[in-house]
Amino acid sequence: MPAFAQRTTTTYTSVLVPPALSLPVIEAEFPRQLHPYWPKLQENTRAWLLEMRLMSAAKIEAYADGLCYTDLMAGYYIGAPDEVLQAIADYSAWFFVWDDRHDRDVVHGRAAAWQRLRMRLHTALDSPKEHLYHEDPLVAGFADSVARLYSFLGGGWNARFADHFHAVIEAYDREFHNRRSGIVPTVEEYLELRRATFAHWIWLDLLEPSAGHELPVAVRENPAYRRAALLSQDFAAWYNDLCSLPKELAGDELHNLGISLIHHEGMRLEESVQEVRRRVEECVTEFLDVEKEVLRYAERIDDGSAQGAELAAAVRACLFNMRNWFSSVYWFHHESGRYMVDSWDDRSTPPYVNNEAAGEK
């Protein structure tokens, strides 16, 4: 009997994973799931990217489906109501576009443009409905997706989400200054910064509207629940580092666990890859152990009352989707054109980004 029963589709893939990136335990122990709304999700997010002016029609036609942004979210938030998943997918697509703008601002030394965008995002996060028609598509798209996310749960969840994303914006600012100054963070500095730039708490917050239930502090701070949550996100962040290392070395990026290991621990490239892989594998092993603790915790919550049963079901739903993050992230990295640097004309410049002086108007 699965921990959490929902409408899902188990999918299979014929993608060949390079041996250095292959994780047999993921392929064996984490069946891939896909939300049945995915085909409509993909279609709607393409239309939203065009409506919000986040990508040109030509680039959407050429690259949007191959980037697999909607596949990633449809493989994670299983059981979410369609409108919740659509808001999450649009927000996620925006996040990738924002990440690319940040990178181009760094590369082109657009410090003033970055600071302007940074402050606009902080402001839009606190009052999204007032920024739906902002002149900068990144601000307008952000406001649109956040306003929709704010409509699903209460004010407490909204305030928590806002606090978490304010911290993400500031972490991106630290990355901007590090890269412009040539600073490679130490391993410990990087691991702390990475939890913010990867937006660990944002993706975990979004488990709750997907489950239709805001979790109380006691649940979110339960040691087993919190550990399972962080392991799912650390796995994703570090596996992303493993897969994106060639892209980031080519683009003179300084923020990657492998790069910090090379720069501060004196490792050769091959040694750093092995160490990142070891940490990734530890996340998987530890999650499989702590997952059992969370299920036992859910059983204790389910005390025979209607309230207990509802909360326990929400905890199981969130845990189920933490588990799905492993398989969704794993296959995303081998299917998305975002990491296929060998197919790019310029290994340092993704072909789907706007490499012009965006933000300087």
Side-chain angles (χ1 to χ4, degrees):
M1 187 83 180
F4 178 65
Q6 275 286 357
R7 293 182 305 147
T8 66
T9 302
T10 301
T11 63
Y12 303 90
T13 183
S14 59
V15 172
L16 294 177
V17 180
L21 304 176
S22 175
L23 296 175
V25 65
I26 296 295
E27 299 180 29
E29 301 294 333
F30 294 79
R32 192 178 188 186
Q33 310 287 341
L34 192 67
H35 197 292
Y37 182 66
W38 171 76
K40 192 68 177 176
L41 184 74
Q42 186 182 51
E43 176 184 335
N44 287 344
T45 296
R46 281 200 308 264
W48 184 81
L49 286 167
L50 182 61
E51 178 188 355
M52 293 290 113
R53 298 170 292 133
L54 291 167
M55 291 180 74
S56 69
K59 287 192 174 181
I60 290 171
E61 178 67 24
Y63 300 110
D65 289 355
L67 290 170
C68 300
Y69 295 159
T70 56
D71 305 48
L72 177 63
M73 295 297 110
Y76 185 22
Y77 296 100
I78 303 300
D82 293 351
E83 64 272 17
V84 173
L85 184 61
Q86 187 67 63
I88 292 173
D90 292 348
Y91 167 77
S92 172
W94 171 88
F95 202 118
F96 281 111
V97 176
W98 177 52
D99 185 72
D100 292 333
R101 166 83 74 85
H102 175 266
D103 177 70
R104 294 297 93 188
D105 281 349
V106 171
V107 169
H108 295 297
R110 299 194 293 247
W114 163 249
Q115 291 304 325
R116 194 158 48 245
L117 176 60
R118 168 182 164 241
M119 297 314 299
R120 287 171 173 174
L121 292 179
H122 276 306
T123 303
L125 183 58
D126 291 330
S127 54
K129 290 183 179 179
E130 296 176 15
H131 295 79
L132 296 175
Y133 304 101
H134 197 280
E135 62 181 358
D136 186 334
L138 265 179
V139 178
F142 178 63
D144 180 86
S145 59
V146 168
R148 288 152 62 200
L149 293 174
Y150 281 175
S151 71
F152 299 124
L153 294 177
W157 185 92
N158 294 354
R160 176 165 31 110
F161 181 94
D163 285 347
H164 287 158
F165 202 78
H166 281 305
V168 172
I169 296 168
E170 288 306 291
Y172 265 70
D173 189 49
R174 291 198 296 277
E175 274 208 2
F176 186 96
H177 290 293
N178 283 351
R179 289 181 66 186
R180 293 302 301 167
S181 304
I183 297 171
V184 178
T186 67
V187 172
E188 290 308 311
E189 289 170 343
Y190 173 73
L191 294 178
E192 180 181 357
L193 183 62
R194 185 60 163 150
R195 284 186 171 177
T197 57
F198 196 80
H200 279 32
W201 294 112
I202 292 296
W203 307 117
L204 295 169
D205 286 339
L206 291 169
L207 291 170
E208 296 171 49
S210 298
H213 196 103
E214 182 176 346
L215 298 180
V217 174
V219 171
R220 289 186 278 110
E221 294 187 355
N222 172 270
Y225 182 91
R226 183 181 176 89
R227 186 63 185 146
L230 286 176
L231 284 166
S232 73
Q233 293 301 305
D234 282 344
F235 165 83
W238 301 345
Y239 192 69
N240 175 269
D241 282 1
L242 192 63
C243 296
S244 62
L245 187 57
K247 174 171 80 83
E248 294 181 344
L249 286 171
D252 294 324
E253 170 61 270
L254 306 178
H255 295 84
N256 184 294
L257 180 53
I259 293 172
S260 287
L261 288 166
I262 292 168
H263 191 84
H264 290 286
E265 305 294 329
M267 292 187 182
R268 298 190 305 274
L269 175 60
E270 296 79 7
E271 292 172 323
S272 72
V273 168
Q274 286 303 312
E275 174 59 16
V276 176
R277 182 186 174 95
R278 183 190 68 78
R279 292 177 184 238
V280 165
E281 290 173 336
E282 280 188 353
C283 286
V284 181
T285 301
E286 192 173 343
F287 179 86
L288 289 170
D289 288 336
V290 77
E291 180 183 37
K292 299 169 187 174
E293 294 182 42
V294 180
L295 290 173
R296 289 193 291 269
Y297 175 57
E299 288 177 7
R300 295 195 298 273
I301 292 173
D302 195 354
D303 56 6
S305 68
Q307 184 178 11
E310 183 181 356
L311 181 56
V315 170
R316 293 186 184 106
C318 292
L319 178 66
F320 178 72
N321 281 335
M322 290 177 202
R323 162 177 270 275
N324 285 330
W325 199 222
F326 288 84
S327 59
S328 191
V329 164
Y330 181 75
W331 292 113
F332 168 71
H333 281 87
H334 303 298
E335 294 174 347
S336 173
R338 191 172 180 86
Y339 305 99
M340 297 179 182
V341 295
D342 292 336
S343 67
W344 302 351
D345 292 337
D346 177 355
R347 288 172 61 88
S348 68
T349 306
Y352 48 84
V353 303
N354 178 5
N355 198 36
E356 299 169 359
E360 290 292 359
K361 295 180 181 177

